[in-house]
């Protein structure tokens, strides 16, 4: 793969400009971002806006300089991109919470290669075709870094996320355009607010000066100090924003957050270090009869705050238990559409028969393995974490799967195919659901050698997914002996409404 794709001929040279800052003079040459990182994704968007042949003259705006610009596009990370005014050299301003077509005033706080990051000071001319600030349900929207799109209609959010998938495959797959299918419309989340089953607010310990003042002060110790902020990161800053309620979190978590905050305020002087809290929505108890799905009224939920405590979730009629610190998708409402889509992709209605064996790489606590087990003869789940394998194995027992139906093995996903060498490749489907960094070359090499009939790649980072899909297709074409993988479909899933994040599902079929 050519990891320099998209950088082309952009270069740093000395030359005249309207203004060259002191920092730019000191550092004319800037280092390219790490490939496939969020910085690299932004860089591709900047180059697309300015043009491949743009020359970096070493220009940069001054710290806290204010400038008026018109937004040209949204980055894949959800920020607004605006070209510098005509009197300035080619440059891009990156600012939050603004939309294409809007004229905005921004205040620059940091500059990098061909772009500056800025705070949004004011929307001078809003795009009323897109923006309706009345849609925002959070009083801190525009300050908190958690959400980017609360001012947009939900249909608009879904359309933007489809565009992110399209751009990812244009920029990172290295595939010919004609081999990339039309990206299907993004699958919506059934819940657009109140969906997030895990939040991690945080706070800092008392500063030394405040602690000394408290020791000599007669102030009521139960009063909340002005410096104490319990919440999430403030946009564009390293400070914590004090937040009493998060509208995208489930009602159970918001109900628990208030008392947790009160307890922290009461005992704040006992903290020697800052703390990152854990709040997870959990079913209180599994039902005695798991074959009957309880009503919402009968299924009591609690907030788990101990990372070692067991969390319980139900996806349709399947139950999952896992430790509080373990990974599990944070939007329960979309998991039935997601797993159903993966199942339908493996078993298209146009085919009379399908795979009999399933390999679930990066299986975690067994979400895909257990949800899809009824449709396969044998399922093998592989996961690096022995703790996750323990949870997945226990979850198979909880859901009364026949003995031998599902097996879960702890091991590096790069070596998984040796453990399933007895599976018939032409009757085997593979699900890949890796972490953000994606797969590696060793894993892809084994995947191509095994050559299973269907690959479904579920990703929380569409950019590394695009890279990996391109590598799989390219390698199979070179080493497949006449066989090749065809990218059959691409589709985004909205697991995090109101944010810029999009999950992606890619389906490969061996022909």
């Amino acid at each position: 793969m050519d990891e320099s794709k998209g950088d082309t001929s952009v270069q740093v040279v000395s030359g005249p400009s309207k203004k060259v800052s002191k920092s730019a003079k000191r550092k004319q040459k800037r280092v390219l971002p790490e490939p496939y990182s969020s910085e690299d994704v932004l860089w591709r968007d900047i180059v697309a806006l300015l043009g491949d042949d743009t020359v970096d003259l070493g220009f940069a705006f001054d710290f806290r300089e204010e400038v008026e610009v018109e937004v040209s596009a949204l980055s894949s990370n959800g920020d607004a991109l605006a070209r510098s005014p005509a009197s300035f050299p080619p440059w891009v301003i990156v600012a939050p919470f603004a939309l294409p077509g809007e004229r905005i005033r921004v205040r620059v706080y940091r500059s990098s290669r061909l772009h500056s990051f800025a705070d949004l000071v004011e929307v001078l001319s809003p795009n009323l075709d897109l923006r309706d600030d009345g849609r925002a349900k959070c009083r801190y929207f525009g300050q908190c870094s958690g959400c980017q799109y609360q001012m947009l209609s939900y249909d608009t959010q879904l359309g933007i996320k489809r565009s992110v998938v399209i751009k990812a495959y244009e920029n990172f797959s290295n595939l010919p355009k004609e081999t990339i299918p039309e990206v299907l419309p993004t699958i919506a989340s059934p819940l657009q607010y109140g969906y997030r089953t895990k939040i991690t607010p945080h706070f800092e310990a008392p500063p030394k000066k405040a602690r000394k003042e408290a020791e000599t002060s007669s102030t009521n110790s139960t009063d909340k100090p002005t410096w104490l902020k319990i919440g999430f990161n403030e946009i564009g800053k390293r400070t914590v924003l004090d937040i009493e309620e998060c509208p995208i979190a489930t009602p159970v978590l918001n109900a628990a957050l208030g008392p947790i905050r009160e307890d922290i305020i009461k005992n704040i002087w006992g903290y020697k270090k800052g703390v990152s809290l854990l709040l997870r929505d959990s079913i209180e108890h599994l039902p005695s009869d798991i074959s009957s799905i309880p009503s919402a009224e009968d299924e009591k939920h609690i907030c788990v705050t101990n990372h070692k405590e067991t969390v319980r979730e139900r996806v349709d009629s399947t139950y999952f238990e896992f430790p509080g610190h373990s990974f599990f998708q944070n939007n329960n409402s979309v998991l039935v559409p997601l797993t159903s889509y993966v199942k339908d992709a493996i078993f298209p209605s146009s085919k009379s028969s399908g795979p009999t064996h399933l390999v679930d790489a990066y299986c975690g606590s067994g979400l895909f393995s257990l949800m899809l087990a009824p449709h396969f003869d044998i399922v093998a789940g592989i996961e690096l974490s022995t703790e996750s394998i323990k949870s997945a194995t226990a979850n198979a027992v909880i859901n009364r799967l026949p003995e031998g139906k599902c097996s879960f093995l702890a091991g590096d996903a790069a070596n998984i195919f040796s453990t399933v060498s007895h599976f018939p490749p032409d009757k085997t489907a593979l699900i890949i659901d890796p972490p953000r960094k994606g797969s590696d070359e060793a894993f892809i090499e084994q995947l191509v050698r095994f050559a299973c009939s269907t690959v479904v790649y579920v990703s929380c980072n569409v950019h590394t997914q695009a890279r990996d899909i391109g590598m799989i297709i390219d390698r199979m074409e070179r080493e497949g002996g006449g066989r090749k993988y065809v990218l059959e479909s691409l589709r985004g899933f909205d697991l995090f409404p109101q944010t810029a994040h999009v999950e992606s599902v890619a389906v490969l079929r061996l022909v």
Side-chain angles (χ1 to χ4, degrees):
M1 292 286 291
D2 180 10
E3 295 186 353
S4 66
K5 182 185 176 187
D7 179 48
T8 62
S9 60
V10 176
Q11 55 186 309
V12 180
V13 301
S14 60
S17 65
K18 183 175 186 294
K19 177 169 55 176
V20 179
S21 70
K22 292 180 180 179
S23 61
K25 288 179 179 177
R26 286 194 301 267
K27 191 174 183 181
Q28 289 285 337
K29 187 175 180 180
R30 298 184 175 99
V31 179
L32 282 172
E34 180 182 349
Y36 315 107
S37 64
S38 59
E39 292 81 10
D40 190 26
V41 173
L42 175 61
W43 173 245
R44 308 295 180 108
D45 288 334
I46 289 166
V47 171
L49 188 59
L50 293 178
D52 288 345
D53 58 350
T54 302
V55 175
D56 187 347
L57 299 175
F59 166 84
F61 286 99
D62 286 334
F63 177 64
R64 296 189 65 80
E65 182 174 357
E66 292 194 6
V67 61
E68 292 184 12
V69 290
E70 183 172 326
V71 179
S72 300
L74 287 176
S75 74
S76 295
N77 302 327
D79 288 324
L81 303 177
R83 290 186 183 91
S84 58
S87 57
F88 290 77
W91 200 262
V92 172
I93 297 287
V94 183
F97 309 120
L99 302 171
E102 294 186 331
R103 187 154 189 82
I104 59 176
R105 179 182 292 114
V106 299
R107 183 182 300 116
V108 172
Y109 63 84
R110 179 162 59 89
S111 292
S112 188
R113 189 183 188 200
L114 286 177
H115 63 287
S116 296
F117 295 92
D119 294 320
L120 177 65
V121 176
E122 183 181 1
V123 177
L124 302 171
S125 300
N127 182 345
L128 298 180
D129 291 334
L130 295 177
R131 178 184 293 275
D132 180 354
D133 292 332
R135 293 190 180 106
K137 294 188 177 182
C138 180
R139 59 188 286 198
Y140 299 106
F141 179 67
Q143 299 173 267
C144 177
S145 62
C147 293
Q148 294 78 44
Y149 293 155
Q150 289 192 26
M151 77 294 246
L152 295 172
S153 71
Y154 192 48
D155 285 344
T156 299
Q157 294 183 38
L158 296 176
I160 291 171
K161 296 184 181 193
R162 177 175 178 269
S163 297
V164 171
V165 178
I166 292 171
K167 287 196 296 181
Y169 275 79
E170 289 176 349
N171 291 336
F172 295 99
S173 71
N174 211 24
L175 292 171
K177 188 175 182 180
E178 62 272 14
T179 66
I180 303 174
E182 181 180 0
V183 176
L184 298 170
T186 308
I187 296 294
S189 169
L191 295 176
Q192 286 93 60
Y193 282 93
Y195 65 82
R196 192 174 178 105
T197 54
K198 174 188 173 184
I199 58 173
T200 54
H202 49 278
F203 63 94
E204 298 295 335
K208 290 182 179 179
K209 182 179 179 181
R211 194 183 295 276
K212 288 181 179 180
E213 290 177 350
E215 291 172 354
T216 59
S217 173
S218 60
T219 305
N220 188 341
S221 61
T222 61
D223 292 341
K224 181 175 176 294
T226 56
W227 53 262
L228 176 59
K229 314 292 182 184
I230 308 166
F232 307 103
N233 288 343
E234 192 170 359
I235 189 72
K237 300 178 181 179
R238 297 180 180 179
T239 54
V240 179
L241 187 67
D242 198 42
I243 292 179
E244 303 87 358
E245 179 185 29
C246 176
I248 65 172
T250 65
V252 168
L253 299 189
N254 278 312
L257 182 57
I260 289 172
R261 285 172 53 86
E262 291 175 6
D263 185 69
I264 292 168
I265 294 168
K266 181 180 178 181
N267 298 288
I268 187 58
W269 303 109
Y271 288 94
K272 305 300 181 184
K273 296 181 179 180
V275 175
S276 182
L277 303 168
L278 172 70
L279 286 78
R280 293 197 86 145
D281 193 317
S282 171
I283 298 171
E284 186 174 31
H285 301 293
L286 294 182
S288 56
D289 180 11
I290 66 165
S291 62
S292 60
I293 301 176
S295 65
E297 294 76 18
D298 293 335
E299 189 173 73
K300 183 180 177 182
H301 284 241
I302 60 172
C303 176
V304 169
T305 58
N306 187 330
H307 72 282
K308 293 183 179 180
E309 192 175 343
T310 298
V311 177
R312 301 174 182 87
E313 291 207 30
R314 175 173 60 81
V315 182
D316 198 14
S317 59
T318 304
Y319 288 89
F320 297 88
E321 290 188 340
F322 49 91
H325 63 85
S326 293
F327 173 80
F328 199 82
Q329 295 288 3
N330 292 336
N331 180 350
N332 184 281
S333 76
V334 79
L335 295 185
V336 170
L338 175 61
T339 53
S340 296
Y341 181 84
V342 171
K343 185 261 293 180
D344 292 342
I346 296 172
F347 299 98
S349 57
S350 59
K351 294 191 176 184
S352 57
S353 63
T356 56
H357 293 60
L358 174 65
V359 178
D360 182 8
Y362 313 94
C363 68
S365 301
L367 175 64
F368 288 106
S369 295
L370 301 185
M371 293 295 290
L372 273 62
H375 306 283
F376 291 91
D377 295 342
I378 300 177
V379 176
I382 315 293
E383 172 61 55
L384 181 61
S385 166
T386 55
E387 188 174 51
S388 292
I389 289 300
K390 182 178 178 181
S391 296
T393 303
N395 289 333
V397 174
I398 288 171
N399 289 283
R400 299 175 183 172
L401 267 68
E403 188 174 352
K405 176 86 169 184
C406 286
S407 61
F408 296 97
L409 304 172
D412 190 337
N415 298 313
I416 68 167
F417 293 100
S418 62
T419 66
V420 293
S421 57
H422 58 291
F423 279 25
D426 62 327
K427 287 292 183 180
T428 298
L430 169 68
I431 296 175
I432 313 171
D433 187 10
R436 290 190 61 81
K437 67 179 181 180
S439 298
D440 58 27
E441 288 196 30
F443 175 85
I444 290 172
E445 180 182 354
Q446 292 182 78
L447 185 158
V448 168
R449 193 180 305 131
F450 186 76
C452 53
S453 62
T454 304
V455 177
V456 181
Y457 191 138
V458 181
S459 177
C460 61
N461 184 345
V462 66
H463 307 98
T464 52
Q465 181 197 58
R467 174 203 65 195
D468 293 348
I469 290 292
M471 291 175 67
I472 293 169
I473 291 174
D474 176 67
R475 191 151 195 150
M476 181 58 84
E477 283 185 352
R478 291 187 284 109
E479 303 176 6
R483 299 172 300 174
K484 65 178 182 178
Y485 276 118
V486 174
L487 182 52
E488 187 174 272
S489 65
L490 275 174
R491 184 165 226 158
F493 273 77
D494 190 17
L495 268 68
F496 297 96
Q498 318 309 327
T499 79
H501 182 82
V502 61
E503 303 263 329
S504 177
V505 179
V507 180
L508 293 172
R509 203 81 66 183
L510 187 66
V511 297

